[in-house]
Amino acid sequence: MTAGNERAARALKEILQKPGNRACADCGAPDPEWGSCSLGVFICLGCSGIHRNLPDLGKVKSLSLSRWEDSEVQFMAQNGNEAMKAKYEAAVPVYYYKPTHKDCQVLREQWIKAKYEREEFMEPGKKLTYEEGTRDGMLMKRGRDNGQFLSRRFVLNEREGTLKYYTKYDAKEPKAVIKVDTINASFQPEKIGNPNGLQITYLKDYNTRNIFLYHESGKEIVDWFNSIRAVQLHYLEVAFPGASSVELKPKLTRNFLKEGYMEKTGPRQTEGFKKRWFTLDHRRLMYYKDPLDAFAKGEVFLGHRDHGYSTNAGLPLHTHCNGAWQYGITIVTPDRSFLFTCESESEQQEWLTHFNSIISTVMTPQEYSMEALFRHKH
């Protein structure tokens, strides 16, 4: 390493200690190891790859491996993450989903492009495409019975508070009318087998229904996602007139807490343990035969521990466990116990951590009414 380069490396190390610079400017990953010489921000390896593809803005360098000019080091010192956030994220709307380092590539990529390339969030009051109140377009939707993806027309309407889809572009009647207040949308690239895969989960006659979508264009699918969130926020502002946007934000779409396989037995606990795909969404643990099933085979509501809900490792003493997996979990509800087994101890511990955190959390009025519905239904 030359003397100049050593000096640059030392200077960069110092600049990194400034507030805001110790986490990636775009996804918040700790200890960024790259810098954008064109924007003056510190970023992680994953985001540096996205920056590299931004025309005119994509000059990135490794903090430890690249050769830095003095002028570049000075530029990083003058700018930095906090200053650039104040500029490029001056007016990010409440509904717009800001991805973290745990989110998928397409969300991070479109956030970075919206921020620096399209400069969407620099001036307050700018009308954004997500806020138009309606959205109409074709998305690839997985067939419920045959598993094939076919092009379907989707229409989002803020005034009606609905998302509809039609099997043909010119069809008069929609195949489904989904109320936006029951929708959860989450990106599921691995599960759907497409980098732009989006899962929409909603309630239909109190049953959970899933549809699986994608679009060839990353921008298009992320625009749909944020448009749904914008319409949901509008709906919530009308439904809860006194609530602040900070209070309403957690009610918008969210990632599932955890998904994965466990084995379960039936209510009499004498049947064999069968492998099922589980999705934990807030207080609802749903299970499916296959990850891409349209309807849940069943679900377990997780209330508060003061109301007779508990969860612990292991199975009751005389359980006849004929499944392949050995790491048991018992969930006790006021109505019955549910028995599951996990493939590994780490999986068992991860599920238990989530279950315990949920049953220790105070329930909201909406959750009480959901619990009542649940018990009535079962």
Side-chain angles (χ1 to χ4, degrees):
M1 204 186 245
T2 64
N5 231 10
E6 264 178 33
R7 191 174 67 240
R10 270 202 309 277
L12 286 168
K13 234 184 194 135
E14 260 170 54
I15 303 166
L16 262 180
Q17 301 310 309
K18 282 192 185 167
N21 289 349
R22 297 179 70 171
C24 172
D26 299 322
C27 74
D31 307 318
E33 291 176 354
W34 290 75
S36 160
C37 318
S38 24
L39 291 161
V41 290
F42 293 92
I43 50 182
C44 69
L45 174 64
C47 290
S48 76
I50 300 169
H51 275 259
R52 204 174 272 121
N53 294 325
L54 298 179
D56 313 326
L57 291 173
K59 195 176 175 201
V60 292
K61 283 188 173 183
S62 160
L63 300 181
S64 54
L65 304 171
S66 306
R67 196 183 132 55
W68 287 75
E69 304 298 332
D70 289 344
S71 59
E72 293 170 334
V73 174
Q74 209 178 336
F75 182 70
M76 297 302 285
Q78 282 162 352
N79 292 297
N81 293 4
E82 286 204 336
M84 291 300 99
K85 252 185 188 149
K87 176 181 174 182
Y88 287 103
E89 295 181 32
V92 181
V94 174
Y95 61 78
Y96 191 94
Y97 184 78
K98 286 168 69 167
T100 71
H101 58 101
K102 294 186 175 135
D103 281 301
C104 63
Q105 179 78 2
V106 70
L107 271 173
R108 299 209 318 263
E109 188 177 271
Q110 291 307 317
W111 160 237
I112 288 169
K113 288 183 170 179
K115 208 159 60 152
Y116 305 115
E117 197 174 65
R118 302 196 291 273
E119 298 186 343
E120 288 183 8
F121 312 124
M122 281 171 71
E123 47 194 281
K126 181 177 175 180
K127 190 87 170 120
L128 296 171
T129 157
Y130 324 105
E131 293 162 17
E132 282 160 9
T134 57
R135 193 172 186 90
D136 185 332
M138 304 301 280
L139 296 170
M140 298 301 283
K141 177 190 171 293
R142 187 179 191 271
R144 193 178 104 187
D145 302 319
N146 59 9
Q148 277 183 311
F149 279 90
L150 296 166
S151 185
R152 296 287 180 250
R153 180 186 179 194
F154 281 78
V155 180
L156 178 67
N157 187 316
E158 184 179 282
R159 208 181 62 245
E160 294 178 1
T162 57
L163 174 67
K164 298 176 181 172
Y165 79 86
Y166 299 81
T167 44
K168 293 196 176 63
Y169 189 80
D170 52 2
K172 297 279 179 282
E173 289 300 313
K175 181 87 167 82
V177 179
I178 304 167
K179 287 183 147 55
V180 289
D181 58 322
T182 74
I183 287 180
N184 184 34
S186 66
F187 277 90
Q188 297 276 9
E190 281 84 23
K191 193 153 101 178
I192 293 171
N194 183 289
N196 303 335
L198 183 69
Q199 174 175 344
I200 290 195
T201 302
Y202 61 97
L203 285 178
K204 184 185 177 187
D205 312 325
Y206 305 120
N207 287 317
T208 302
R209 167 88 161 94
N210 296 314
I211 50 179
F212 301 97
L213 311 168
Y214 72 85
H215 193 283
E216 286 309 331
S217 147
K219 179 179 185 299
E220 185 69 17
I221 199 76
V222 175
D223 285 359
W224 269 99
F225 175 69
N226 282 303
S227 300
I228 288 171
R229 288 174 61 94
V231 168
Q232 283 184 327
L233 182 67
H234 173 80
Y235 179 90
L236 288 164
E237 285 168 344
V238 174
F240 303 96
S244 71
S245 48
V246 175
E247 290 170 282
L248 295 176
K249 194 176 179 176
K251 296 184 194 300
L252 300 177
T253 65
R254 62 212 169 265
N255 290 328
F256 296 131
L257 294 172
K258 181 167 168 63
E259 288 197 287
Y261 284 107
M262 288 194 284
E263 290 183 337
K264 75 172 287 292
T265 180
R268 288 198 301 279
Q269 296 167 6
T270 50
E271 301 95 315
F273 276 77
K274 292 193 180 82
K275 189 171 164 185
R276 296 287 180 252
W277 176 262
F278 284 82
T279 297
L280 180 59
D281 182 17
H282 215 36
R283 286 192 181 274
R284 293 158 61 206
L285 177 65
M286 294 162 273
Y287 51 93
Y288 303 86
K289 211 167 172 176
D290 181 89
L292 293 168
D293 282 349
F295 291 98
K297 283 190 82 64
E299 40 189 303
V300 183
F301 182 85
L302 295 167
H304 190 266
R305 60 164 37 113
D306 293 351
H307 303 172
Y309 292 87
S310 67
T311 171
N312 51 293
L315 301 174
L317 261 174
H318 303 294
T319 311
H320 176 59
C321 186
N322 57 354
W325 295 350
Q326 301 307 316
Y327 299 91
I329 292 178
T330 302
I331 293 180
V332 178
T333 76
D335 301 321
R336 61 169 275 209
S337 296
F338 293 87
L339 311 185
F340 310 107
T341 55
C342 304
E343 190 171 15
S344 65
E345 191 178 0
S346 60
E347 274 290 289
Q348 175 201 43
Q349 291 310 316
E350 216 176 294
W351 282 111
L352 280 168
T353 304
H354 284 297
F355 296 155
N356 281 313
S357 140
I358 292 167
I359 64 174
S360 311
T361 306
V362 177
M363 277 166 64
T364 65
Q366 290 91 333
E367 288 170 347
Y368 277 113
S369 47
M370 189 196 278
E371 181 187 38
L373 260 177
F374 225 86
R375 294 181 74 171
H376 170 73
K377 193 171 89 177
H378 296 282

